[in-house]
Amino acid sequence: MSGLFRKSIRTRLTLLYVSLLTAALLLYGAGTSAFFLRNLREQVDETLSQDVETVETLLSVGPDGRVRVQAQDTDEDEGGRLLEVWSQDGSLLYRSPELWGRILGAAPDGHEGIQGARLADGTRVRIVNRMHRIGTRPVVVRLAVSEERLWQEFWEMVSVLSIGLPVAVALVGLTGYAVARRALRPLESMARRAEQITAERLSERLNIENPGDELGHLGRVINETLARLERSFEQLRRFTADASHELRTPLTAIRSVGEVALQRSGDVNYYRDIVGSMLEEVNRLTRLVDSLLTMSRADAGRIPLQRAEVPVLDLAKESAGLLEVLAEEKNQKLTVEGDPMVAVRGDRVILRQALVNLIDNAVKYSPSRGNIFVRVGSNDGDAVVEVQDSGPGIPPEHRSKVFERFYRLDKARSREDGGTGLGLSIAEWAVGAHGGRIELDCGTEPGCIFRIRLPKFTTEENTIPPEQSRKT
Amino acid sequence: MRILVVEDEPKVAKALQEGLEAENYEVTLAQTGEDGFFLASSQAFDLIVLDWMLPGRDGLEVLSTLRKRGMQTPVLVLTAKDAIEERVSGLDAGADDYLVKPFAFPELTARVRALLRRGKAEAAPSQRIDGLEMDLVARTVTRDGHRIDLTTREFELLEFLLRNKGRVVSREMLARDVWKESERATPIDNVIDVHVARLRRKIDDQFERKLVHTVRGVGFTVREAED
C-alpha cells in the first residue's frame, strides 16, 4: 500500500481511474448479463407454456387404459420434449422416451406453474406443471425443456463482454496516463528549475506559464518564498560582513598594540599600560559578542518575557535616573515628564533596556548644554514614550537605516564612545517583542524624537464597574 | 586553602593557576573530566573550579556524580554557554555558583572568596583605610577628620570598593553588585566611570595621597598609595 503512495502522481491518478472504470464496467456488465438471462428465461417459459398446451391436445387414453401421446411431426422437437403425465393420486402415467428413464422430480403436489430444476445428470431444465383432463380423468401434465441453449447464449454474451472490458480499461488507462503526464509537465519543469536555484542563485525565479491556474498559483507562492529567502540571505550576508568588520577592529588593535610593544622595550609601567590597552579592546570584544548573542537569541525567539504590569513613567524615570550622570557631565538637562497612570504589560528588564538605549543615544548625540526630554503619554489606545534629543538630527536618507544592526551615522565617533552599533537594534527588538514599535520623527528643527508605542495595559481598577468600585 | 581547577584549555588553566596562587591559594590542575573526578574523589579540596565543556567527561556529569557520592565541597562552574535554562540545569547538578566565559579575573577571585567564606558572614560596621573612615551604620564618611558628603550611589560604590580594598574590582562586579543591573549593557560602563570619577573628586582631589586607582582594562581598586 505504501509502495503505491510513493509512486508518481500520474501513476497514482491513472491507477485510480482505471480501477474506478473497471468497477463501473463490472457493475454494468453484471447488470446487463442478469437482465439478458432473465429475458432468455422468459422466452423459454413462454415457449414452454405454448408447448404444454399443444401437448395437452395430443394426449389420449389408449384402449389399454394407458396414456399415449399422438405422434406429431413437429420440427421444434429436435431438442426432445421431456414429458411426464401423472395421475392425481401421484402415480406415473406416462414418461417420454427422451428422458431415458430420468425423472423430472418427485410426484407433483398439485401446484401449477413454471420452475427451474436440475436433472439427476446435472442438466438444467425449465419445468411446467399443468392440471389437465384426459376425457374425464384429471391428470398432471409436466413438460420440461433443457436450458442448455439458453446458458450457451448467456455465456457467449458474457465472454464477449469480458473480452471487451480489459481492452476498454487498457485504452482508457493509457490515454489517462498520457493526459496526466501532459497536465503535470509544467510542474516537472518548475521542479527542475527550482532544483537549480541554490543559495548563490537566489535571484532567479520560476517561469509561470499560466498565472491563473493551480500550477501558476503554486509557482507564484514559490517565487514569493524565494524572494523572502533572498532578502533574508542578503540581510544575513550584510550582517555577517558587518559583524566580522566590528570584530576585526578590536582584534587589529590588540594585535598591533601587542606587536609594537614587543618590538620596543620599556619599563613596567609601559607594559602595564600596553596590557591594559589590550584588555580594553578585549572588553569591547566581549561586549560585542554578548550583544550579538542577545540578538541571535532574540531572533530565535529564545528570550522569554516575564510579563507584569509596568508603570511607564516610573520606568522612564528609573532609566533616566541611571543615565542622569552622563547628561550632567555634558551639562545637559534631562527632563522626564508625563502621565503617571499609563502602564503596559511587559518584561520590565527588557523594556528598560530599550529605554536606556534610546536615552543613552539622546545623551550621546545632544550637544553640551542641550536638552533631552522623555515624555510619557497615551495616544490611540497606545502607551507612548517619546525621547527627544537636541542633536544635529538624522539626514532623511539615513532615517530608515538607524535601526539596522551596526548602522552608524558617524562611524568613527560612536565607536570611540564604546558603542557597539547594536543599541537601537536591541531597542527595536525589545519593543517589537512586546507588540509595539519605535517611530522616528525628525522635523525641520534640530533634534529627533524616537517614539515608542506599546499596547496600553488597562489596570483592573479601570475595568471594575463604577458601582462596585464605589462600595470598596 | 586548596583549590582544584578542572580546565582543559592550557592557557586558561595556567592563567587560573597563576592568578589564584597570587591570591595565596594552593592550586591543583586537572586537564580532563576523568582526572578531575579522580582528584576530587581522592583528595580533600576547599573549592573546585570546574569547566563545563570538557573532553571525555562533561563537567556537569562529573559534578553530579561527585554530588551523588556525597561530596560537599563548593563548586564554581565556568561555562561559555549563558542561556538561562542551561544555568538552571547547572544548579540542578549541584553547582554553587557560575561564571560565564570570558570572565574578568577579579570577578573570579571575588566569587572564589565568597564561596570559601560562605556561612561566615562578616558584618563589619565600619571600614577604614589610610585616614579615610566609613561608618556603615551612621552612613558617614570622613577623611582625616573632614566630613565628606556622598550621594547614596557614591556611598555604595565606596563601600564596595573598601570591602574589596587592595583588590581590583571590575566594572562587571560594580554593575551587578552596586547597580544591580542584570544586563551588562554598554551605557552602564559609562555611568560607572562617571561615578568613580566623581567619587575620586570628593575623596582624593584635596589630598596628597590618592586612594582610588584605575587599573586600565580591568577596573578600579582602592589601596593605600605607595609613597
Side-chain angles (χ1 to χ4, degrees), chain A residues 272-273 275-277 279-280 283 286-287 290 293-294 297 302 322-323 325-326 328-329 349 352-353 356-357 360 364 417-420, chain B residues 80 82-86 102 153 171-172 179-191 194-195 197-198 201 215-218:
Chain A
R272 271 185 181 279
D273 201 43
V275 173
S277 146
L279 286 177
E280 279 173 5
N283 278 336
T286 309
R287 258 205 306 271
D290 279 356
L293 200 66
T294 306
R297 283 175 57 208
R302 276 175 54 205
L322 181 71
L323 301 178
V325 286
L326 298 181
E328 278 173 24
E329 288 298 296
V349 173
R352 201 178 77 144
Q353 211 174 335
V356 164
N357 284 351
D360 184 50
K364 244 182 235 171
D417 292 341
T420 54
Chain B
D82 72 338
I84 307 289
E85 58 270 40
E86 281 158 357
R153 190 68 91 190
R171 288 182 180 82
E172 285 96 328
W179 270 266
K180 316 287 180 206
E181 288 293 323
S182 53
E183 287 290 331
R184 224 180 91 229
T186 320
I188 299 297
D189 284 5
N190 296 338
V191 168
V194 170
H195 271 107
R198 290 182 174 189
R201 235 174 279 151
V215 181
R216 195 174 171 193
V218 187

Side-chain angles (χ1 to χ4, degrees), chain A residues 32-201:
Chain A
T32 315
S33 307
F35 182 68
F36 184 62
L37 187 61
R38 220 189 73 189
N39 272 359
L40 286 177
R41 276 226 170 95
E42 270 172 14
Q43 276 176 29
V44 168
D45 292 352
E46 209 174 303
T47 319
L48 205 55
S49 318
Q50 283 168 13
D51 285 357
V52 81
E53 276 169 33
T54 315
V55 165
E56 277 164 10
T57 61
L58 300 177
L59 289 176
S60 61
V61 180
D64 52 354
R66 289 179 60 175
V67 172
R68 284 189 313 178
V69 180
Q70 243 174 331
Q72 202 206 25
D73 43 8
T74 40
D75 315 319
E76 62 220 65
D77 248 23
E78 343 117 342
R81 190 169 291 144
L82 312 171
L83 178 68
E84 281 176 352
V85 180
W86 295 76
S87 72
Q88 199 86 64
D89 54 8
S91 57
L92 186 66
L93 299 177
Y94 175 84
R95 174 173 279 162
S96 61
E98 287 87 349
L99 271 169
W100 300 111
R102 293 173 297 188
I103 52 167
L104 291 175
D109 48 7
H111 285 100
E112 288 194 312
I114 298 179
Q115 67 189 86
R118 221 177 244 271
L119 297 186
D121 63 353
T123 315
R124 282 170 193 261
V125 290
R126 295 294 285 175
I127 300 172
V128 61
N129 291 311
R130 282 251 303 212
M131 312 301 276
H132 186 61
R133 279 173 195 277
I134 306 174
T136 55
R137 192 169 170 191
V139 293
V140 176
V141 175
R142 179 183 275 178
L143 184 68
V145 69
S146 164
E147 279 190 331
E148 233 162 89
R149 273 182 57 198
L150 180 154
W151 283 105
Q152 202 183 334
E153 274 180 60
F154 175 72
W155 286 120
E156 267 169 25
M157 173 179 170
V158 168
S159 59
V160 167
L161 279 180
S162 53
I163 290 168
L165 187 134
V167 172
V169 166
L171 267 174
V172 168
L174 285 174
T175 326
Y177 189 75
V179 168
R181 192 185 168 131
R182 200 180 156 74
L184 292 172
R185 195 172 299 150
L187 194 67
E188 255 173 64
S189 71
M190 264 161 63
R192 262 199 305 279
R193 181 123 178 96
E195 263 172 357
Q196 289 161 1
I197 300 178
T198 55
E200 283 73 38
R201 299 168 62 188

